[in-house]
Amino acid sequence: MTNVPYKLTDLMFYFLKLGTWGFGGPVALVGYMHHDLVETKKWITEEEYKEGLALAQLAPGPLAAQLAIYLGYVHYKIFGATVVGLAFIIPSFVMVVGLGAAYTYFSGIWWLSAVFYGVGASIIGIIAFSAYKLTKKSIAKDFILWGIYLISALVTVITESEEVLLFLGAGLLYWLVKAPPAILKRKVAGSLVIYPLLGFIPFWTVKNPDNLLKIALYFGKAGSFVFGSGLAIVPFLYAGVVKEYAWLNEQQFLDAVAVAMITPGPVVITVGFIGFLVEGFWGATVAALATFLPCYLLTIIPAPYFKKHGKNPAIKAFVDGVTAAAIGAITGAVIVLGKRSLVDIPTVLIAVLTILLLLKFKKLQEPSIILLAAVVGLILKTITFQ
């Protein structure tokens, strides 16, 4: 391959490092990639970066991971996309599996509960702030998007679950309103269903093999339908992991989200922690593979054609509608999860203080706030125990 200013191993090691200490969530990770790969190293052109970012925003799945996969594809095609995707995800996966093992082993230790007492409340504040930023950025002044957003939030609060069909319906509605096909003059009937075809993999030394199949199917669906930032998957996971399958209780689920926040790399890696709590190492592995495989396929398959069709108004309108519904679900999830976590005045104050800190200090990273909340929770619970 000629005129490529870097080797694949160079890109692989870059994403290994980014996955190891890349804090700040999807927006920050995307910013790091632009600063390092486009502005500083000049390995990727501005146009290539913008194409990858647009594709990552259009397709379901975690934004930062999809952009990384696309950037690996730019010069080294499918092999490059695969190597880069694994390099970016593996460090945080190893971390959450380790934390899952520690969490399982030390679950009866009072100080761990004390830490998550403060962290759980802080997570509510972080999700609330993220919902605010996403709403401000994406909904704008479009009354149709506001209607989709409010309906999605209301449905999430009432049902305490996330409806995939509501997302798809929102996308189709906004598409038909904003960019209807020329032949659509009267009525149109159609549906869009995307389910990943998950391969059957033999696993040994598993307590409950049926659980692995359920994990694969459920997290595969999550990876196929969740648009936007990593936090968009939170209400979807809550609906299945807590409400439908009862794999975790509310506190364990919030702890899983907290673990994703305090580790670098993509926020969606929380699925590895959840999988570990449900079915150990193999549960974590299957959950991570099932979640990231759809986003990998939905990045490399359309990549060759995206330059030609990526700016199609119909595609953009569909994604705008789905995004509005997803943001509404995140907002609703703040209320649902807040009822479980904000149990007294100290937890309410921790959540409010988290929001105020994020509003005041734009460059303040979430892990710093979570660490502070952990210390506060430990102090408060120590005083209580004494």
Side-chain angles (χ1 to χ4, degrees):
M1 186 172 294
T2 59
N3 299 325
V4 178
Y6 62 92
K7 297 177 181 178
L8 180 56
T9 51
D10 296 330
L11 196 63
M12 179 189 73
F13 282 118
Y14 169 78
F15 277 101
L16 273 173
K17 290 188 288 185
L18 186 62
T20 302
W21 55 66
F23 289 98
V27 175
L29 292 171
V30 165
Y32 296 150
M33 292 180 211
H34 184 270
H35 177 269
D36 297 336
L37 300 179
V38 179
E39 296 179 349
T40 304
K41 298 179 183 296
K42 301 187 185 302
W43 291 351
I44 303 293
T45 67
E46 186 74 34
E47 186 63 28
E48 289 165 342
Y49 177 87
K50 287 181 178 179
E51 288 170 2
L53 184 60
L55 177 58
Q57 290 173 322
L58 284 169
L63 179 68
Q66 284 177 302
L67 178 57
I69 291 168
Y70 184 86
L71 296 181
Y73 181 89
V74 168
H75 292 124
Y76 290 95
K77 305 308 177 187
I78 293 177
F79 184 67
T82 305
V83 169
V84 165
L86 290 173
F88 184 49
I89 294 165
I90 284 176
S92 54
F93 174 76
V94 171
M95 292 180 203
V96 297
V97 167
L99 288 170
Y103 182 89
T104 303
Y105 183 78
F106 292 113
S107 60
I109 306 301
W110 73 268
W111 59 263
L112 193 64
S113 299
V115 166
F116 280 107
Y117 169 80
V119 169
S122 182
I123 290 299
I124 297 300
I126 290 172
I127 298 176
F129 182 73
S130 296
Y132 162 74
K133 287 199 302 182
L134 288 169
T135 302
K136 185 178 179 181
K137 179 181 179 181
S138 302
I139 306 302
K141 297 180 180 180
D142 191 308
F143 76 94
I144 299 176
L145 291 181
W146 271 108
I148 293 172
Y149 167 86
L150 292 173
I151 290 172
S152 179
L154 187 61
V155 169
T156 302
V157 171
I158 293 174
T159 65
E160 297 191 350
S161 65
E162 187 178 76
E163 298 294 333
V164 170
L165 291 179
L166 178 62
F167 280 25
L168 295 178
L172 290 172
L173 172 65
Y174 201 66
W175 164 49
L176 292 174
V177 171
K178 291 294 182 179
I183 59 172
L184 254 186
K185 301 296 182 180
R186 298 176 185 175
K187 295 181 179 180
V188 67
S191 62
L192 178 62
V193 180
I194 307 173
Y195 279 98
L197 297 176
L198 301 173
F200 181 79
I201 307 173
F203 291 96
W204 295 271
T205 65
V206 175
K207 295 179 181 178
N208 190 349
D210 289 341
N211 251 356
L212 287 183
L213 180 59
K214 291 178 182 177
I215 289 171
L217 293 174
Y218 181 74
F219 285 98
K221 186 167 65 173
S224 300
F225 284 107
V226 177
F227 287 77
S229 77
L231 286 173
I233 204 172
V234 171
F236 188 95
L237 292 181
Y238 176 82
V241 170
V242 178
K243 304 293 289 184
E244 183 178 353
Y245 293 106
W247 285 329
L248 306 182
N249 59 39
E250 280 90 352
Q251 187 57 54
Q252 288 173 320
F253 180 77
L254 281 168
D255 294 347
V257 177
V259 165
M261 292 290 187
I262 63 177
T263 52
V267 173
V268 178
I269 202 62
T270 188
V271 300
F273 185 87
I274 293 171
F276 188 93
L277 297 189
V278 178
E279 202 60 53
F281 174 77
W282 289 115
T285 302
V286 171
L289 284 174
T291 303
F292 284 99
L293 179 60
C295 88
Y296 168 78
L297 294 176
L298 291 170
T299 301
I300 64 168
I301 292 174
Y305 313 101
F306 189 69
K307 284 187 177 182
K308 184 176 181 180
H309 302 290
K311 297 180 181 179
N312 187 297
I315 296 176
K316 186 178 183 303
F318 176 81
V319 174
D320 286 344
V322 172
T323 301
I327 296 170
I330 295 173
T331 304
V334 173
I335 298 172
V336 174
L337 295 173
K339 290 189 296 184
R340 272 84 173 177
S341 291
L342 308 184
V343 295
D344 51 27
I345 292 177
T347 49
V348 172
L349 291 176
I350 291 172
V352 172
L353 182 60
T354 296
I355 295 173
L356 292 177
L357 286 172
L358 289 170
L359 283 170
K360 179 68 175 178
F361 304 101
K362 304 298 183 183
K363 295 183 179 180
L364 185 61
Q365 294 185 342
E366 287 90 341
S368 302
I369 299 176
I370 291 171
L371 179 61
L372 177 61
V375 173
V376 171
L378 190 59
I379 293 172
L380 290 174
K381 285 297 184 180
T382 301
I383 294 172
T384 302
F385 276 110
Q386 289 178 344

